[in-house]
Amino acid sequence: TDYLGLQISPLCPFCSIDLETKDHILLSCRFSIDVWKEVLFRCQPPTVHFLEWSELLSWIRSSASAKLTLLRKLATQTLVFHFWKQRNNLIHNQISIPAFLVFHEIDREMKNIISARRLSKHFKSLMIMWLR
């Protein structure tokens, strides 16, 4: 695809196998699955891996507590940001970062987000939940 004079492949920049769609790049690509495993471990994983955005949203809302819902929202938002950042890094700079390092960035950012808001009653026990 030609976008602003750049030739952009329609294939997923992480795996170069499937078409780049929101569901593929964020949920079902091997790269994203590897990162999600680490995130889900800290957020009470679903019984089955979600393959569609609507399933992810349902999982976020189906948590047993408001604190777990907040943790899932923060983790998902952080993960999406870092996936998009890595995607753009691959496309524009041809620099690939392994999944475990992307998770390390997500982990560090989650700790920073929670620490910065630790005095808020909604964030009091989130660090313990995240550090499982």
Side-chain angles (χ1 to χ4, degrees):
T1 308
D2 185 37
Y3 178 73
L4 298 175
L6 297 172
Q7 287 297 320
I8 307 280
S9 170
L11 298 178
C12 170
F14 297 126
C15 70
S16 300
I17 297 170
D18 293 305
L19 287 177
E20 180 184 23
T21 65
K22 172 184 66 182
D23 288 341
H24 174 75
I25 200 167
L26 296 175
L27 302 172
S28 61
C29 177
R30 179 82 258 157
F31 179 88
S32 63
I33 289 170
D34 289 345
V35 177
W36 270 112
K37 281 181 189 175
E38 294 298 323
V39 170
L40 291 174
F41 175 73
R42 291 153 177 81
C43 298
Q44 294 184 357
T47 51
V48 252
H49 182 73
F50 28 77
L51 298 175
E52 296 179 3
W53 192 252
S54 60
E55 295 169 344
L56 169 63
L57 296 178
S58 293
W59 170 76
I60 291 170
R61 290 187 294 260
S62 70
S63 63
S65 71
K67 291 201 186 268
L68 183 55
T69 298
L70 178 57
L71 186 67
R72 289 176 176 181
K73 285 178 181 178
L74 288 171
T76 301
Q77 177 182 6
T78 304
L79 183 141
V80 167
F81 170 79
H82 282 279
F83 277 4
W84 197 253
K85 182 176 149 186
Q86 176 57 20
R87 174 212 176 264
N88 288 343
N89 203 22
L90 271 168
I91 290 172
H92 301 293
N93 303 321
Q94 293 76 48
I95 296 173
S96 178
I97 299 172
F100 77 91
L101 287 178
V102 172
F103 172 73
H104 180 72
E105 290 178 6
I106 292 167
D107 183 50
R108 185 178 60 232
E109 187 163 343
M110 285 292 293
K111 290 173 184 173
N112 289 342
I113 290 168
I114 295 167
S115 291
R117 293 166 179 83
R118 69 186 174 279
L119 299 178
S120 166
K121 70 177 183 174
H122 300 294
F123 285 78
K124 282 208 188 287
S125 61
L126 287 189
M127 188 65 79
I128 293 168
M129 294 170 75
W130 181 253
L131 294 177
R132 297 175 192 230

